[in-house]
Amino acid sequence: MFSKDLLKGKTVLITGGGTGLGRSMSFGFASLGAKIAIVSRKEENLKETVEDLRKEGHVAEYAVCDVRDPAQIASAVDALWSKLGPVNVLVNNAAGNFISRTEDLSTRAFDTIIGIVLHGSVYFSLELGKRWISSGSGGVILSIVTTYSWTGSAYVVPSAVSKAGVLALTRSLAVEWGNRGIRTVAIAPGMFPTEGAWKRLVPDNAFEDIMKSRTPLGRFGRHEELSDLAAFLISDGASYINGEVVTIDGGEWLAGAGQFNNLREMPPEMWEYMKQKRNEK
Ligand code: HXC
Ligand code: NAP
């Protein structure tokens, strides 16, 4: 679909790049010539992905970093920058999420998701944006949001308010930092099977079937479909796209906004059961 060296000369830092869609983007971008830098909390995820990338002949490094902590972000970026050279592209992909009735959530549960998704994306964008502005180099920030960033969704409210904030960040910085050569763009994926999302958001096979049938195309997304879109958006081929969010969901949100709104039909006993299962873990 693309020329082999579409991303040659670029170093791309992907938060949460060791698992799921982040890992798929790491491989997708590396196969188009990019150098890859990944960060997250769990070293085992990062190490395995970097080793697998290197086995295929790609250049990749990692740094352990909790995106909720600006000091850890600064030292991770320093370490990766000194190993790989200047980072040109940031992908805000790290996230946390779970399904719950909002009245069952503690303020700490809210803080946890807002910390990872909203603060993490803001802190990382600030860290790289400041460097790009002071060096005059410019750069690209791609944030992975959701279709409920603009529609909201019941039962994933901490995630919905955080992703709405990341979308506002994308559109605001597009205007403010555009004249410094920094583009900010976003992707809103529909349902793409990953271990992290499925474990927390898709309780069983029956629910999975319901989610699949919500989508007019009748199937979930394939990782390479998202990774190809992301590669295009961070490439110089998309150099006039700024402040845009591109939806890749098979038409799902148009057919019924708010991915988890249909859980309104779930009886109270079921919520109690889910809570109990979680507490047993
Ligand atoms: C209610 C919950 C909860 C749940 C945790 N909490 N899980 N509340 N329901 N299922 C509460 C805890 O009780 C605690 O509050 C607070 O949240 C923090 O929990 P910790 O376990 O201490 O947090 P932490 O170890 O930091 O882990 C963060 C995490 C975890 C978000 C809870 O799941 C995680 O690490 N997730 C990362 C990966 C992930 O979530 N991937 C999915 C992304 S999918 P109290 O008050 O009890 O102390 C995605 C897709 C969107 O975003 C769209 C799909 C279509
Ligand atoms: P995932 O595999 O669970 O990815 C989440 C990543 O975030 C993990 O690699 C995790 O790594 C990292 N992370 C979590 N908390 C962190 C923290 N505090 N600091 C640093 N890293 C942290 O899930 P995914 O499905 O691939 O999701 C990727 C992105 O796509 C997310 O932004 C998600 O909201 C979005 N999305 C996914 C779907 C879908 O259907 N899959 C749909 C819409 C949007 P560690 O555990 O090692 O920290």
Side-chain angles (χ1 to χ4, degrees), residues 161-178:
V161 300
S162 305
K163 294 286 192 182
V166 177
L167 184 55
L169 177 79
T170 303
R171 289 174 168 156
S172 308
L173 291 182
V175 176
E176 192 175 334
W177 286 355

Side-chain angles (χ1 to χ4, degrees), residues 19 21 40-42 45 65-67 93 95 145 163 190 192 194:
T19 68
L21 295 174
S40 77
R41 296 163 302 175
K42 296 184 193 129
N45 294 338
C65 165
D66 189 322
V67 299
N93 167 79
V145 294
K163 294 286 192 182
F192 285 75
T194 65

Side-chain angles (χ1 to χ4, degrees), residues 44-176:
E44 65 271 23
N45 294 338
L46 300 168
K47 199 159 179 270
E48 192 184 334
T49 295
V50 162
E51 281 170 2
D52 290 348
L53 283 162
R54 288 179 182 161
K55 271 185 218 148
E56 293 190 8
H58 304 307
V59 178
E61 297 285 349
Y62 72 84
V64 174
C65 165
D66 189 322
V67 299
R68 293 171 280 195
D69 180 353
Q72 287 188 40
I73 292 175
S75 47
V77 173
D78 278 342
L80 293 165
W81 200 285
S82 69
K83 285 181 183 157
L84 292 171
V87 172
N88 318 104
V89 179
L90 164 67
V91 182
N92 286 316
N93 167 79
N97 205 350
F98 41 68
I99 290 186
S100 174
R101 289 184 297 193
T102 304
E103 64 270 31
D104 292 339
L105 292 177
S106 64
T107 53
R108 188 160 175 268
F110 258 93
D111 289 347
T112 300
I113 303 303
I114 291 170
I116 301 169
V117 179
L118 181 56
H119 292 172
S121 303
V122 169
Y123 297 163
F124 246 108
S125 301
L126 260 183
E127 180 64 39
L128 284 160
K130 284 179 180 178
R131 289 173 191 243
W132 292 336
I133 288 167
S134 69
S135 70
S137 67
V140 179
I141 301 172
L142 167 66
S143 295
I144 309 300
V145 294
T146 63
T147 55
Y148 58 64
S149 304
W150 57 90
T151 67
S153 174
Y155 308 111
V156 284
V157 173
S159 171
V161 300
S162 305
K163 294 286 192 182
V166 177
L167 184 55
L169 177 79
T170 303
R171 289 174 168 156
S172 308
L173 291 182
V175 176
E176 192 175 334

